C-alpha cells in the first residue's frame, strides 16, 4: 500500500479507552468494547494490507478479573462471539489467529472458542494476529522461570546454559520477533503488565485517541512516527 514506508515487523497495541468512549456518549461501558471490536477489524485488515508480519493486541489482562462481574462476563462472551463472527473474515484476509495468555481460570467454553479460532486459521500464511487474553507478563515470566527450573532439577540442563534465548523459548511469544512498535491509545503512559520482556527495545507511540476512534489513518501516523526514529538498541 505504501511502498516507501518503513513497516514495523511486529506491532503491539494496548487498546485503551473503550469505557471513556462509551461514557462520553452516555452509553454503557460494554457498548465501548463492542465498538472496539469494529476498530480491531479495521486495524487487522490494515496491518495485513501493509505487510505487517505480527500484530499483538491486549484484550484481557490477568488484572481485568477485578472489574465488575458483569463486565468480565461480557468480555468472556465477546471473545466467544469474536471467534465465531470474525474467523471467516480472518481466513479471507489470510490471517492466522493465536492467543497469548494463561488458560487458568477461563471457562471451558472460552478455551474451546480460542482453540477453534487457532485451529481454523492455522494454515493462513499472512499476518499472525495474537490476542493477549487472560495475559499477564509477570505471570508469563514466572512460568518460564519455573519451566526452566524444572529442567535444571531434572538434570536436563546446567544453570550456566540459561540464557536469554532459553527464557524466550518459554514465553507465549516463543519463535516470534519482539514488537518493533507499541501503540497505546487514550493517552495512558504505562505498560499495564503487557509484554515486559518483549518490549525492551520497542518504540512507543502514545495517542490521545480512544480505541473505538482509532483508524487506519491513525495507524499510518504511528507508523510514520516509527519510521522517523533512530533505533540504536543500546548502541550509538
Ligand atoms: C480497555 O479499555 C479495554 C479492554 C480491557 C478490553 C479491550 C477489548 C476490546 C477492544 C474488544 C476486543 C475484545 C476481544 C475479546 C476480541 P477500558 O475499558 O479500560 O477503557 P477506559 O480506560 O476508558 O475505562
Amino acid at each position: 500500500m505504501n511502498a516507501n514506508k518503513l513497516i514495523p515487523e511486529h506491532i503491539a497495541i494496548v487498546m485503551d479507552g473503550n469505557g471513556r468512549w462509551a461514557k462520553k456518549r452516555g452509553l454503557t461501558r460494554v457498548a465501548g468494547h463492542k465498538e472496539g471490536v469494529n476498530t480491531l477489524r479495521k486495524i487487522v485488515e490494515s496491518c495485513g494490507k501493509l505487510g505487517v508480519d505480527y500484530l499483538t493486541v491486549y484484550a484481557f489482562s490477568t488484572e481485568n478479573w477485578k472489574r465488575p462481574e458483569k463486565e468480565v462476563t461480557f468480555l468472556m462472551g465477546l471473545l466467544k462471539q469474536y471467534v465465531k463472527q470474525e474467523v471467516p473474515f480472518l481466513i479471507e484476509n489470510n490471517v492466522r489467529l493465536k492467543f497469548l495468555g494463561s488458560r487458568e481460570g477461563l471457562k471451558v467454553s472460552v478455551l474451546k472458542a480460542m482453540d477453534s479460532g487457532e485451529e481454523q486459521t492455522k494454515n493462513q500464511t499472512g499476518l499472525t494476529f495474537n490476542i493477549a487474553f487472560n495475559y499477564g507478563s509477570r505471570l508469563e515470566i514466572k512460568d518460564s522461570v519455573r519451566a526452566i527450573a524444572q529442567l535444571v532439577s531434572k538434570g536436563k540442563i546446567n544453570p550456566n546454559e540459561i540464557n536469554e534465548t532459553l527464557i524466550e523459548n518459554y514465553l507465549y511469544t516463543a519463535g516470534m520477533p519482539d514488537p518493533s512498535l507499541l501503540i497505546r491509545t487514550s493517552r495512558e503512559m504505562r505498560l499495564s503488565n503487557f509484554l515486559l520482556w518483549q518490549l525492551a527495545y520497542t518504540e512507543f507511540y502514545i495517542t490521545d485517541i480512544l480505541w473505538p476512534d482509532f483508524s487506519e489513518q491513525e495507524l499510518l501516523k504511528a507508523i510514520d512516527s516509527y519510521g522517523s526514529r533512530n533505533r540504536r538498541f543500546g548502541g550509538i
Side-chain angles (χ1 to χ4, degrees), residues 140-141 144-145 147-148 151 157-178 197-198:
E140 176 184 36
I141 294 168
S144 168
V145 170
I148 294 168
L151 295 180
I157 60 159
N158 189 301
N160 333 337
E161 291 172 88
I162 300 173
N163 57 23
E164 292 183 13
T165 309
L166 184 67
I167 294 170
E168 281 164 5
N169 287 344
Y170 284 92
L171 300 178
Y172 305 126
T173 48
M176 301 183 197
D178 287 339
W197 175 284
Q198 297 88 337

Side-chain angles (χ1 to χ4, degrees), residues 6-17:
L6 179 63
I7 301 298
E9 181 180 26
H10 184 172
I11 299 180
I13 308 183
V14 180
M15 310 180 288
D16 201 5

Side-chain angles (χ1 to χ4, degrees), residues 120-190:
Q120 290 182 76
T121 59
K122 69 175 185 208
N123 295 325
Q124 307 315 124
T125 55
L127 176 74
T128 296
F129 173 39
N130 298 315
I131 300 184
F133 197 84
N134 200 21
Y135 175 88
S137 189
R138 288 184 172 181
L139 176 67
E140 176 184 36
I141 294 168
K142 184 268 287 173
D143 284 345
S144 168
V145 170
R146 183 173 285 174
I148 294 168
Q150 268 157 2
L151 295 180
V152 172
S153 77
K154 286 182 189 148
K156 292 197 172 153
I157 60 159
N158 189 301
N160 333 337
E161 291 172 88
I162 300 173
N163 57 23
E164 292 183 13
T165 309
L166 184 67
I167 294 170
E168 281 164 5
N169 287 344
Y170 284 92
L171 300 178
Y172 305 126
T173 48
M176 301 183 197
D178 287 339
S180 344
L181 170 66
L182 170 79
I183 299 171
R184 181 160 189 156
T185 55
S186 89
R187 202 188 312 167
E188 305 297 350
M189 306 263 185
R190 51 178 175 265

Side-chain angles (χ1 to χ4, degrees), residues 67-127:
R67 294 193 172 205
E69 198 186 324
K70 252 176 130 175
E71 186 173 339
V72 170
T73 307
F74 179 85
L75 286 168
M76 294 294 148
L78 194 62
L79 189 279
K80 289 192 268 182
Q81 195 192 327
Y82 179 87
V83 171
K84 221 171 161 181
Q85 183 184 300
E86 300 293 317
V87 159
F89 160 84
L90 297 177
I91 293 174
E92 207 175 292
N93 285 274
N94 200 18
V95 176
R96 186 167 67 126
L97 178 63
K98 295 271 292 170
F99 286 95
L100 311 182
S102 167
R103 295 174 71 90
E104 298 274 310
L106 293 175
K107 287 205 171 133
V108 174
S109 60
V110 175
L111 294 172
K112 271 193 180 160
M114 289 163 59
D115 293 344
S116 148
E118 290 190 346
E119 177 62 28
Q120 290 182 76
T121 59
K122 69 175 185 208
N123 295 325
Q124 307 315 124
T125 55
L127 176 74

Side-chain angles (χ1 to χ4, degrees), residues 15-20 29 33 37 59 64 67 79 82 211:
M15 310 180 288
D16 201 5
N18 295 343
R20 274 163 283 173
R29 291 179 53 79
H33 297 318
V37 172
N64 286 153
R67 294 193 172 205
L79 189 279
Y82 179 87
W211 176 251

